[in-house]
Every structure is written in structure tokens, then in C-alpha cells.
Amino acid sequence: MLILLPPSEGKTPADAGSPVDLAELSFPELTGARQEVAVALAAVSAQEDALSHLGVGASLVHEVSRNTRLAREPAAPAHSIYSGVLFDALGYQSLTTTQKRKADAVVVVVSGLWGAVGFADRIPAYRLSMSVGLPGTGKLASYWKPKLAEAVSPHTEGHLLVDCRSSTYAAAWAPEPERTVAVNVFTERDGVRKVVSHFAKHTRGELARQLLTRRGKDPQTPAQLAKAAGEKWTVELIAGTARKPHALNIILAD
């Protein structure tokens, strides 16, 4: 089992530590691409229109400024850099030592800057969405798609992929549909379902925690995943096709 997560928009900067070493990140085949994106991001972030180009407000000027010096910024494990609703619900720091080792082994975060990183990979805080286009790379989802397919796909063979990514990050890489289950979250009232972003992020984080902390074997099939999720939520499993992954719908009472 591998759990695919999107990054958080906001990051918690490391207080101290050595800078990122790209050669030590998971999926080293992506090193050249990571360097190219980092250089393009630094150039854009140094421009007068950086905030507009990156699609952020004036309150984030310090985060954008940090993009210009990522090679010198202190790095820390990805699980401590990424923060926000989903990662708070996952609650890495409150896991047991054994559960943390499992999280480090099975969680992969898909990123606009790094392509994909493991949960224990040391990275600096940065500001960049997968929806952004950079000079020389174009739209990042399109830039990363063939590179992730080549570098990451071989590492997923034999694993069930629990895809908790948002659509923005899912666009950057499409794993084999037969082994992938996309996680959707709905609220339901009087038979009417709605998608609510905040609840979706929180519940996907809770699902990741459920899979990291529950006893017994990890799910190896979509049906086993649905059974594991059904221990906590009302769920339904929609079978995939040759081109479309399976879907695990988690239904929350509104």
C-alpha cells in the first residue's frame, strides 16, 4: 500500500538544519527536473510581479521571497514542513514510533516543486502550486506528468495506491487505474450529496491516519480498502475501468 497526498499550500519552515540535498530525496531520477523547476521558481519569485505570477496575496510576500534562496534554507522532514487541515488530521507527531516508520515508508507527497517526495525526505518550506506555469517549464502539471510516470510508476508496482490527492495534483500523474483508488468525500443531507473542500481534506487526512494506525494487514485490493475505511465511515466503492481508477466515496452526515 502507498498513500498519495497533495502538499499543503502553507508550510511550516524549519527552525534550523542543513539545506536540502536533492541527491538524497526519494525518486532521484527527478533530480534534474527538480533543479530546473527550482531555478525557474527562484527567477519568478525575484520579479516585481512574483505574487501575481504565483497566484498569492501580499500577506505571503515573505514565503515568496524564501523561494529565491531555497538552496540555503534549512530543511526538515516533509511531514514537519507540510501543515494544514489534511496533515493535522493525519497527526504524524502523535503516531507511535512504529507507525511513524510506516508513514515514512508508504506516504508519497506529489509536489509542484519536487515532483514527488517521501514523507521523511528533508525539504525546505516553499510556495508553489501545481497549477502555476513557470518560464521554461510551462504548466507544472503538464511538466511533471511524463517525468513522474517514468520515475515514480516503477516504484508502485505491486502496491495498492490510495489516492488522496486533490484534482490539481492528480493531474500531474495518473498511476495504473487497476491498482489505484481515488478517495472522494461527500456530505449528505436528505439524500443530497455535496463536495465540501474543508471536510474532504480533513477526512482524507483521517483516512491516512486510519490506515497507518489500524491493526491487521494493510489493504491490498480496493475491496479491502473499502472494508478498512468502513470501520469508521459510511463508504461505497465504485469499480474502475481500463482508464479510470476505482473510487472510494466516503459519506459524511451533514
Side-chain angles (χ1 to χ4, degrees):
M1 176 188 70
L2 294 175
I3 302 174
L4 306 180
L5 300 181
S8 57
E9 291 186 8
K11 317 290 188 302
T12 301
D15 293 328
S18 57
V20 63
D21 184 344
L22 296 182
E24 292 185 353
L25 299 181
S26 300
F27 316 113
E29 303 92 336
L30 299 174
T31 298
R34 290 164 173 156
Q35 291 174 326
E36 184 175 11
V37 175
V39 169
L41 176 60
V44 165
S45 299
Q47 297 175 357
E48 291 185 2
D49 64 345
L51 298 179
S52 175
H53 194 108
L54 296 176
V56 299
S59 64
L60 300 178
V61 63
H62 296 297
E63 293 187 22
V64 172
S65 176
R66 188 186 297 116
N67 288 342
T68 66
R69 53 181 190 272
L70 292 179
R72 305 188 303 277
E73 285 288 302
H79 58 68
S80 67
I81 295 294
Y82 293 123
S83 54
V85 174
L86 187 155
F87 293 91
D88 287 348
L90 187 153
Y92 181 92
Q93 294 304 323
S94 63
L95 298 176
T96 67
T97 299
T98 298
Q99 292 164 354
K100 287 178 179 177
R101 283 199 295 265
K102 181 177 179 179
D104 292 345
V106 306
V107 173
V108 175
V109 181
V110 175
S111 159
L113 175 56
W114 314 112
V117 292
F119 225 24
D121 287 354
R122 295 179 64 261
I123 59 173
Y126 63 96
R127 191 76 189 198
L128 181 64
S129 170
M130 187 69 81
S131 62
V132 169
L134 296 174
T137 69
K139 292 292 185 181
L140 289 170
S142 299
Y143 174 84
W144 283 116
K145 193 167 186 176
K147 296 172 176 62
L148 293 178
E150 181 177 355
V152 181
S153 292
H155 295 274
T156 68
E157 293 182 5
H159 294 283
L160 175 70
L161 302 181
V162 184
D163 193 350
C164 295
R165 296 175 295 168
S166 60
S167 58
T168 300
Y169 289 86
W173 175 47
E176 288 186 16
E178 65 183 41
R179 294 185 291 106
T180 305
V181 183
V183 178
N184 305 310
V185 182
F186 301 92
T187 59
E188 184 172 276
R189 174 183 290 182
D190 299 330
V192 178
R193 291 184 183 178
K194 295 181 180 180
V195 177
V196 183
S197 177
H198 176 85
F199 286 119
K201 292 178 182 178
H202 182 81
T203 305
R204 285 168 175 153
E206 286 189 318
L207 174 63
R209 184 179 181 87
Q210 165 82 350
L211 295 174
L212 294 171
T213 59
R214 65 187 293 272
R215 295 182 178 181
K217 294 183 178 180
D218 290 340
Q220 299 180 22
T221 67
Q224 290 174 0
L225 174 63
K227 183 177 180 180
E231 295 169 3
K232 186 168 183 176
W233 296 280
T234 298
V235 303
E236 63 182 11
L237 181 65
I238 308 299
T241 66
R243 294 186 176 184
K244 190 174 181 179
H246 306 272
L248 176 69
N249 295 337
I250 298 178
I251 316 301
L252 307 177
D254 188 357

